[in-house]
Amino acid sequence: MSKVLGVDLGTSNTLIYVKGKGIVLREPSVVAIDKQRKKVLAVGEEAKKMLGKTPGGIDAQFPLKDGVIADFDITARMLANYFSKIHARGILSLPAVLVSIPQGVTEVERRAVEDASYEAGAKEVALIPEPVAAAIGAGMNITEPKGSMIVNIGGGTTEVAVLSLMGVVVSSSTKVAGNQFDEAIVQYMRDEHKLLIGRSTAELLKKRIGSVHPSSDTGELDVRGSNLRSGLASSVTITSAQLRKALYNPVQQVIEVIRRTLAMTPPELSYDILERGIMLAGGGALLGGFPRLIGERTGVKVAVAKQPLESVARGLGRLAEGTGDYDFEFRAR
């Protein structure tokens, strides 16, 4: 195919790879809608700036939830907007689109992703399991008859998979991921400091001083929000150690999924993983101390992909370029 796109359709962010050009678009998976006129007002970064700040008639939302489409129409319009931006950059048609999907989606959820892609302008669509795309994008060799483990911590889901011979042998997933880390921080600030903060502030805290292991503590940060007692604007100083406490429960749930997947892995492949280690991808891989904590709790060495936020998109890109060695088939509508 002369023109192929790889679309990492994530709960929090959408990345698009164009064959021969690389990753050409990185935008939040957010859409702002005029509810009365049902008109799209903003998409992506512009829409994300509106989160928590819109009047009653405007709704800024994430049309995907837990890795799957929650609002079909808005998802299709968001994709159409992104495809239009790419078109403006010189891609004149969209004959074939590769889209990543979580490993354990239902047939209905698969069809929703295909249909949304068709509605947005794709002529042909191929769905690629997210763990496979992430592993390829992280540079893992999954063509051999040896076990490789990928842990992809995205915005809406964490997917853990053991791969061999380009296929998924064992996999597990949880809806505990980046968004749930943010929600845990919001809840901690409410419970411990009686301070109401938004998701964007929680995300900023996580990125700036987030830590799940003492070795990765980076300091402190002043946080502004609304005092739940007085209703007035207030601020408190939060440390990495406090965030570690806030993140404890969701982080332990992710580690438990990894441990459970290791326990389900056939013995022949378990030795390979012990030898090769675990690869972390996705935005959650950047959380301070996470690789070290997972290594301590599993007894397996852990590495982080060179560009964890782009692993899935880069894996789709390799397939688009014909260098990914994974068998897939495009389907026309």
Side-chain angles (χ1 to χ4, degrees):
M1 303 296 297
S2 59
K3 293 174 184 173
V4 185
L5 272 62
V7 180
D8 175 9
L9 186 60
T11 303
S12 299
N13 297 285
T14 296
L15 284 76
I16 298 181
Y17 184 107
V18 175
K19 180 180 177 181
K21 294 180 178 290
I23 297 174
V24 300
L25 183 139
R26 300 174 181 82
E27 292 275 2
S29 301
V30 188
V31 181
I33 299 285
D34 183 321
K35 293 190 289 186
Q36 184 173 3
R37 295 184 295 166
K38 296 185 177 181
K39 178 183 178 182
V40 174
L41 300 178
V43 176
E45 196 63 53
E46 185 180 354
K48 186 176 182 180
K49 294 176 182 178
M50 300 181 183
L51 288 171
K53 304 176 183 178
T54 59
I58 298 174
D59 183 24
Q61 60 179 277
F62 291 85
L64 288 98
K65 185 176 182 181
D66 301 331
V68 297
I69 293 176
D71 190 308
F72 175 85
D73 180 60
I74 295 179
T75 300
R77 293 165 79 177
M78 179 183 74
L79 278 176
N81 179 279
Y82 291 154
F83 289 171
S84 178
K85 288 183 179 180
I86 293 172
H87 176 82
R89 296 171 187 172
I91 306 302
L92 301 179
S93 62
L94 304 172
V97 177
L98 295 161
V99 188
S100 60
I101 56 169
Q103 174 67 23
V105 297
T106 66
E107 187 58 36
V108 171
E109 291 165 343
R110 289 175 60 91
R111 174 58 68 177
V113 173
E114 284 185 332
D115 289 346
S117 301
Y118 292 135
E119 288 293 324
K123 302 299 186 296
E124 294 179 297
V125 177
L127 302 182
I128 309 298
E130 213 164 77
V132 173
I136 294 172
M140 300 175 72
N141 183 359
I142 58 175
T143 62
E144 299 177 324
K146 290 187 176 182
S148 300
M149 176 173 272
I150 182 79
V151 178
N152 188 49
I153 309 170
T157 59
T158 294
E159 292 203 272
V160 185
V162 175
L163 304 105
S164 177
L165 293 170
M166 295 304 293
V168 177
V169 180
V170 177
S171 68
S172 302
S173 66
T174 175
K175 295 177 181 178
V176 179
N179 292 346
Q180 286 66 37
F181 296 161
D182 296 341
E183 290 172 9
I185 294 172
V186 170
Q187 192 63 44
Y188 173 82
M189 296 299 295
R190 175 191 288 269
D191 295 342
E192 297 295 324
H193 299 278
K194 307 305 176 187
L195 191 73
L196 182 63
I197 64 172
R199 176 173 163 179
S200 296
T201 301
E203 184 180 19
L204 179 65
L205 271 170
K206 180 182 68 178
K207 290 181 177 179
R208 290 276 185 88
I209 62 170
S211 171
V212 297
H213 193 281
S215 64
S216 296
D217 287 358
T218 56
E220 60 187 34
L221 194 68
D222 290 334
V223 185
R224 297 178 181 178
S226 176
N227 188 292
L228 291 172
R229 293 194 179 98
S230 66
L232 301 176
S234 181
S235 68
V236 296
T237 300
I238 299 297
T239 67
S240 292
Q242 289 173 303
L243 281 188
R244 187 163 59 254
K245 180 180 178 181
L247 293 166
Y248 180 83
N249 285 334
V251 164
Q252 295 308 310
Q253 291 180 62
V254 170
I255 291 175
E256 183 55 36
V257 172
I258 297 172
R259 288 167 58 92
R260 187 168 68 241
T261 308
L262 285 168
M264 295 188 299
T265 302
E268 293 81 359
L269 300 180
S270 293
Y271 178 78
D272 296 333
I273 294 169
L274 188 61
E275 186 180 60
R276 292 181 163 195
I278 298 170
M279 179 68 75
L280 291 190
L286 298 173
L287 187 56
F290 216 170
R292 182 165 180 173
L293 182 64
I294 293 171
E296 290 179 354
R297 294 293 301 278
T298 62
V300 181
K301 61 184 178 182
V302 179
V304 178
K306 289 184 179 180
Q307 296 168 306
L309 288 166
E310 299 179 354
S311 293
V312 173
R314 291 190 176 279
L316 295 172
R318 286 192 60 190
L319 295 176
E321 303 287 357
T323 60
D325 295 324
Y326 179 75
D327 188 25
F328 63 90
E329 183 178 352
F330 286 110
R331 290 175 53 179
R333 191 169 196 175

